[in-house]
Amino acid sequence: MNPRKLLFTVAAAVALLATACGGTTPTTSTGNETGTLTVWLMNGSAPQSIVDGVNADFKAKHPNVTVNVEIQQWSDVTTKLDTAFAGSAPPDIMELGNTLVAKYAAAGALQDISSKKSSFENSGTWLQSLTDSCTYQKKLYCVPYYAGSRAVIYRTDLFSAAGVQPPTSMDQLMTVGQTLMAKYGSDPNFSALYFPGKYWYAAAPFVWDFGGDIATQSGTKWTGAINNSQSQQGLTALQSLVSKLSRADKTGDEAKQDQAFAQGHIAMIIANGWEVGVITDPKAGDPTLKDKLGAFPIPSHNAGQTAPVFLGGSDLGIAAKSQHQALAQEWLNLLGGTKFQSQMVTVGGVIPNTTSLVSLSSGLPAIFAAAAKNSRFTPNSPNWANVESANVLQDMLVSIFTGKASIPTATSAASDKIATILNS
Amino acid sequence: MSRRIVARTFFDTVGVLILVVMLFPIYWMVSTALKPGKEILSLTPVWFPSPITFDNFRTAINVPFFWNDVVNSLTVVLSVVAISIALAFLAAVSVARFGFRGRTAFVVMVIAVQMVPLNALVIPMYLLLDRVGQVDTLLGVIAYYLAIVLPFMIWTLRGFVANVPVDLEEAAMVDGATRVGAFLRIVFPLVAPGLVATAIFGFIQAWNEYIIAYVLLSSSSKQTLTIWLASFTTQHGTDWGGLMAGATLTALPVVVFFLLVQRHVAGGLTAGAVKG
Amino acid sequence: MGVAGDARTRVAPRPQAEAGPWRHVWGRRLLPYALIAPALIVILGVLGYPLGMLLWLSTQHYGLRELIQHQGEFVGLQNFQTFRVDPQFRYVLTVSLIFTVVNVGLSMLFATGIALLLERVSRAVRILLSAGLVLVWATPSIPAIDLWQWMFDYEFGVVNWLLTHLGAGNYIHHNWFENPIQGFSVITVIVVWGAIPFLALMIYAGLTQVPRELVEAAEIDGARSWQVFARITVPILRPVFLVVISLSTIWDFGVFNQVWVLLNQRPSQDYFLMSVYSFQESFRVSQFGLGSAAAVVTIAILVVVTFAYVRQTVRLTEDAV
């Protein structure tokens, strides 16, 4: 066997043997490669024009490589990912919700790309929380894709009729809400601030704003922090708001809040940027509300500041078993790079993965993008997905709002449970 | 004479009432599919959509690869129903008409297999099909569906076949029919209603199954209608109008299948004559 | 088994080798095996390996990492032990059993009634009603449950609106799932509604096999309809009843979607039926060994619960021919 062929065979063997440690493979790309690159994107994440654009640019550089972009559904997606990673030929690239990454990284499903970080455009200015979601044990396992954050959507017409302005502090939020309740509260369906009981992602900002947290890590041990005094302060402030301003189901979640808002009896909701589109969509909501909507960031209890928000979003990872590491990285660099991330903002209406492009947002989305600058992420542990699956925080909130448990009792029970699951 | 008419009218009325009660949620599904956005989830129930809009149906059909999904679903389901009915009927006849060593074991196996919770088999199934290279193929899906509907079909068809007395076939043979002819002409029509119910069961199982189809099929060109139906839910929530339009479209072919099969076995429904 | 009027046993049982008109079939000993062979091959070929793996997995510690590396850690019966010592398990088992009994009972009651009705209506109504039942049966499960969820919704629900407007009390913003008994009642309505079509059509198919002469003879002798039903219909229908009751039990014990979807994928612990509990404790947190053990436990429970029915079915099989 000639030396070049031997080298290739050895390289191929190394690629085949790559395991949880994330063995590195030679990463030269010359434009003469052949093969198929399989990409799994989630339904609804990227407009088709962007995907087509990425593929076109990629094809220009690698004309003999076929790229198959397959759209996957959200329903039972973790089962699909589990089986795909367990099988012999997982897709080369897949989009993962940012709270799922740690779980798959810890299990050895994703390729460690720490050494390649600098080769990704804008990696220096990636949104911190998304980067955090991609980092496990100080190694980088994915590229941030896009983000979503929450702010308060409100009815400008109801506000002006009641003579109030968007609040700039939590206390003001309460007074604004109470004025609204005084004016419209006789309608049994009216809520000044519609807050379903299980809406954990909207409750987190209150906990974080007062300096509290969900859990903290020292060394490898996690300790629950939801029961410390600052967290409890935040929850107390929230409970006060909910009991006085909300008529939403205390045991329900936020799945139908946009439809509820579209019915016209709600003044404020805490929501994601894309929910504006749902509220005004003719197929799902009320298009006449289009000119009556405004947004403001969740105010901090310190006047003039905004509360930290949870940054939702997705990342893009490369399978450890992938045979096309270099090609996959190039494809990722395109989708995560300036050209197409700008389009994600302007066409897709999401928050891009880099702070340098955040200013491209305009109109209402810009307010959500600005709120994203002050963002936090959930405890970055592979067991965090299990805390979410066990409904710990949702059940805690429900017991607080329905009055079944006091805040100290509910939070200390939740804190213990979180620590147990994270440390398991 | 008139007493029979009164009785029949009474039963007919009850029948229609039951139909109305059972179909009420279905009515809600269809009317939701025809409603514009704000009326779908409304604080005051909207009983009748106004204006009636077909946008939801239009969007549902215009989803990319929709017609692909239809063809794939039909391929899978018709294959499963045809093969499973044939195989199950043969096995049911064997168990119902013959005594043979291992019959009890076979029957017990057939019943026991149905007690296995299917979601626990997803990962082992996937790994098996991965090993034989049948991931992302319709054949793998068909094979799995066959394996899960066969036990049920064998078990129920056995009951229907056993209920047809053996002496019927013998009487026909005495009259000069061949044994196969006797079987086909006498037994088959008498188990026809059972066959219809069982075939529809197989149809619906294969037609509406989601998790295995989703886990096995990744290429857009291979996916089935159940995956299409799941596409109305994204991380942005659910397109309720689209989902209900999709559900309506999904349910209709089964009813069509039923009506077609019904017509061809109508004889079985009114028969029941057993010679002394 | 010799019940009067049982059509099958009017014929004296024949020795095995000379069964009926098949006695001249070549290779008569091979024929029964040949007939079951295709089905057997498919079932064992497709399900053999997964079932074996299920049993093996139940003795392993098998999380996501183990799955990807195809390497588990043998823990013997520890997975089963986890369930045995879990205080919640007893609650889950009790609730599941009660739920199953109630659902099977109600489903059989309504389905039998509708099957009897199908016999007595005019042809047009029969086709209409059966088509309607098939439509309900064919509607995909998740959207159907979504519809029921809307009907019982806290603020959008038709039921709350109707009850208030019909004067049954103030049901505005009534939460049907705060109280588990109310919640399970709603779930039962949905399960029974979904179960009726299949059961009714199956029982009706069985009814068509009841010989008309027997019924007419009994009526001439002065029997009332319920006597005809009890003395003639039920015994003939016994095999069919056994099958549908066993199936109903198996399916109702494994109810999952209704709970999961109605409670927005986050049911509180009061609502943990066996399948929900198994899923939540294992597969949801990617613990496949534990999940497999849960499946094995479920199968064991089902074997015990349906034992009486299954034994009768097997006996009937052996007595026939």
Side-chain angles (χ1 to χ4, degrees), chain A residues 196-200 250-254 394 397-398, chain C residues 263 266:
Chain A
K198 285 188 177 156
Y199 198 1
W200 163 248
K250 294 190 166 60
T251 66
D253 69 12
E254 70 275 18
Q394 286 84 353
L397 286 177
V398 169
Chain C
L263 296 169
R266 291 188 189 279

Side-chain angles (χ1 to χ4, degrees), chain A residues 86 106 194 251 388-389 391, chain C residues 65 70 155 175 266 280 286:
Chain A
Y194 183 89
T251 66
E388 290 203 343
S389 298
N391 305 328
Chain C
R65 174 174 278 264
H70 294 283
E155 52 198 332
N175 186 332
R266 291 188 189 279
Q280 183 79 359
S286 293

